Amino acid sequence: MTDDSGLASQIGRRKLLALLGSAAVTGGVVHEVFGSRFTGPSEEPLVSVEGTPETKPDGENAPEPNGENIRDHGAKPNPTDPGIEAAERNLNALQAAAQAAGAHGSIYVPEGTYYIGRRGAQYEPFNRIGADGDMPPGISIYGAGPQASELAITERLQAGSHPVQTAFRYMDDVNHGTVVIRDIQLNGNYENLPNLRDSGGGSRCIKIGGNGDLHISNTHIRGWYQEAILGRDVLRTVNRCTFEDNAIADHNYSGGRHIGHHITTHASNGNPLKVTNSRFIDCSGSAIDVRFNAGEISVRNCYVTGTGANFCKLSAASLLDVRRVYHRANTPSLEAKLDDTPGHEFDGRQFIQRISARADTPPTVRLNDVITTNMTDYALQCRIDEMTIEGDMIAIAKTNMREDNEVIRDRGPGLFSDIDIGRLSVHECNGMVFDLNSSSGTIRTLARNNNQGGLGNTADLTVETDAKGQEPFKPSVPSPSAVGINTASHSVVWR
């Protein structure tokens, strides 16, 4: 049995764009034009569910430090990236400032664009922090604001001699203490770099090892070959940040066989990661890739568009708590940046995907006030082990635009061991709502309409009220202008 007509089950991606509409990206904000109701939230200011503004996470309330000014150590703005000599001068100044600041000190990047790089780095990151590296342990980095202060990777190095062009690596086996990165733009400049992949390399913004607590705020992180942040067990808070155009190069130079993510992290036991008030725009992989351990991860008050693989690849964690989040997987902006790779399309596949289990504790996914829309494949899948889904006020729309035939599914040995959802709406999907084999639980109210495949296979799931024909629910999510970077420094009062 089917609902009203859906999209054709097989549709070309260019034709799909013509049907869906168009979007322009200006200043990191997506302006979408669509005929249906799921075009993104209004520009009205967000009021949190608790009725109080979001507070800054721990570690971000410290006073502005007296960091070592990199200009005092020889740095000069080089906004046109004129040559390797200027980039090496700025990198040397950066490292001299860090040495002057000492272990667990801070450096300050004043207004200007500073391209950095060095000859002879080969497979080493440009800045090794700790462990007899280029900088002492635990260096914090501050700027005058993400549209004022910029560190960028020079295009003046060849891939054969410099295949790795990672900006910062916090070295392993080092106690870095509390590290803060804020009020700055960190630009990987992938559009102008050579093909690093064919030389066995790539670039990341920050690769984190050792021990400590890393807090990132009011920072624009864009244009890195691979993952922007490889966080391991050290990343603690990401607040008021914008991630943009990361891991595009890794996809394109590999013919779609390799992808990367905005954030790759471990779910640290006893040290939850909090991602708040942030904007994610276009990457070939996931907004957040959770790889190991059984800690907790919270994503609140975020606006996410253009995730090639999914919003979250969930291989670990005891809890993924997603609250007040708008997610749109497929966008014209992402399509325009990714090369056509038949058979390896990562142009907006899913919402949450569990295809591996790397922790002893199965995860609970808690969704409250969430919109997820425009997926080429299904929305939710558990393919291995088990996971629990709970929450309320969840709206799913426009899945299966290219393939598959279900919105929420289990596969193989995977199952949803307990589904406990108050209100869920599913609309305009090119497939059945459920294809479950052994999952169980309860949904109190399911609103659905214009789905091609009907209700589908519910296994041991109970739907108390099947409100076929009802309008979608309207979760409270932020507008794109309400999240992401502030244009000035951290001293601005946060919204």
Side-chain angles (χ1 to χ4, degrees), residues 339-400:
D339 290 346
D340 285 317
T341 54
H344 301 280
E345 293 92 349
F346 285 91
D347 50 4
R349 291 186 174 186
Q350 307 113 14
F351 177 46
I352 294 176
Q353 165 87 299
R354 179 164 169 79
I355 57 174
S356 61
R358 294 173 175 168
D360 295 334
T361 303
T364 294
V365 175
R366 184 178 297 154
L367 307 173
N368 287 285
D369 282 295
V370 171
I371 294 173
T372 181
T373 185
N374 287 74
M375 286 155 275
T376 62
D377 301 7
Y378 48 84
L380 287 154
Q381 173 178 255
C382 184
R383 201 174 75 186
I384 192 169
D385 196 39
E386 62 184 84
M387 61 189 288
T388 297
I389 299 179
E390 62 185 41
D392 185 39
M393 197 56 79
I394 305 161
I396 302 174
K398 295 182 180 177
T399 68
N400 311 106

Side-chain angles (χ1 to χ4, degrees), residues 169-190:
R169 180 174 180 184
Y170 287 81
M171 303 299 287
D172 296 332
D173 302 319
V174 176
N175 183 8
H176 292 287
T178 298
V179 175
V180 176
I181 297 174
R182 74 186 192 206
D183 305 330
I184 195 166
Q185 180 175 163
L186 301 173
N187 182 2
N189 193 27
Y190 85 91

Side-chain angles (χ1 to χ4, degrees), residues 48-387:
S48 72
V49 171
E50 294 80 10
T52 58
E54 289 283 347
T55 58
K56 291 182 284 185
D58 297 339
E60 295 187 18
N61 293 292
E64 198 72 27
N66 295 317
E68 286 286 333
N69 191 319
I70 64 171
R71 285 202 191 184
D72 293 342
H73 296 271
K76 297 179 182 179
N78 55 339
T80 62
D81 194 15
I84 186 60
E85 293 79 9
E88 287 182 326
R89 177 198 66 217
N90 286 342
L91 183 65
N92 291 336
L94 205 69
Q95 294 173 359
Q99 294 292 344
H104 310 293
S106 60
I107 59 177
Y108 176 68
V109 180
E111 185 173 348
T113 294
Y114 304 85
Y115 282 91
I116 62 171
R118 67 176 176 185
R119 288 166 286 196
Q122 296 184 331
Y123 287 93
E124 292 293 331
F126 289 139
N127 294 288
R128 297 164 296 173
I129 301 174
D132 299 321
D134 308 295
M135 297 182 176
I139 292 296
S140 295
I141 304 168
Y142 301 83
Q147 293 187 337
S149 301
E150 177 183 8
L151 292 176
I153 301 298
T154 182
E155 65 179 273
R156 304 300 178 180
L157 294 171
Q158 299 302 310
S161 57
H162 299 83
V164 173
Q165 300 192 19
T166 291
F168 298 96
R169 180 174 180 184
Y170 287 81
M171 303 299 287
D172 296 332
D173 302 319
V174 176
N175 183 8
H176 292 287
T178 298
V179 175
V180 176
I181 297 174
R182 74 186 192 206
D183 305 330
I184 195 166
Q185 180 175 163
L186 301 173
N187 182 2
N189 193 27
Y190 85 91
E191 300 93 333
N192 298 309
L193 297 190
N195 182 355
L196 304 179
R197 168 155 287 283
D198 281 358
S199 298
S203 75
R204 296 180 173 98
C205 181
I206 304 170
K207 185 177 180 180
I208 310 163
N211 301 311
D213 301 288
L214 175 62
H215 304 273
I216 307 175
S217 65
N218 201 28
T219 297
H220 189 180
I221 300 174
R222 58 89 50 210
W224 297 90
Y225 244 73
Q226 299 161 292
E227 294 86 358
I229 306 294
L230 188 58
R232 296 191 179 176
D233 288 308
V234 179
L235 186 62
R236 299 287 177 258
T237 63
V238 175
N239 192 27
R240 208 70 164 129
C241 291
T242 296
F243 292 80
E244 186 171 11
D245 294 352
N246 294 306
I248 302 296
D250 207 28
H251 172 277
N252 290 347
Y253 281 120
S254 68
R257 289 172 173 81
H258 292 272
I259 60 171
H261 315 285
H262 288 305
I263 298 173
T264 291
T265 188
H266 297 178
S268 181
N269 292 302
N271 293 292
L273 167 60
K274 300 176 182 178
V275 180
T276 52
N277 307 312
S278 292
R279 178 83 166 92
F280 295 83
I281 308 166
D282 294 349
C283 73
S284 61
S286 309
I288 300 176
D289 170 30
V290 186
R291 299 197 65 197
F292 295 101
N293 301 340
E296 298 181 0
I297 294 179
S298 173
V299 184
R300 297 194 176 193
N301 207 47
C302 292
Y303 194 95
V304 183
T305 56
T307 53
N310 36 60
F311 167 76
C312 181
K313 181 183 176 184
L314 190 62
S315 302
S318 60
L319 174 66
L320 175 66
D321 186 2
V322 182
R323 188 184 299 257
R324 300 191 300 280
V325 167
Y326 175 83
H327 169 246
R328 175 176 169 171
N330 175 275
T331 65
S333 173
L334 179 65
E335 289 248 12
K337 293 166 187 172
L338 295 178
D339 290 346
D340 285 317
T341 54
H344 301 280
E345 293 92 349
F346 285 91
D347 50 4
R349 291 186 174 186
Q350 307 113 14
F351 177 46
I352 294 176
Q353 165 87 299
R354 179 164 169 79
I355 57 174
S356 61
R358 294 173 175 168
D360 295 334
T361 303
T364 294
V365 175
R366 184 178 297 154
L367 307 173
N368 287 285
D369 282 295
V370 171
I371 294 173
T372 181
T373 185
N374 287 74
M375 286 155 275
T376 62
D377 301 7
Y378 48 84
L380 287 154
Q381 173 178 255
C382 184
R383 201 174 75 186
I384 192 169
D385 196 39
E386 62 184 84
M387 61 189 288

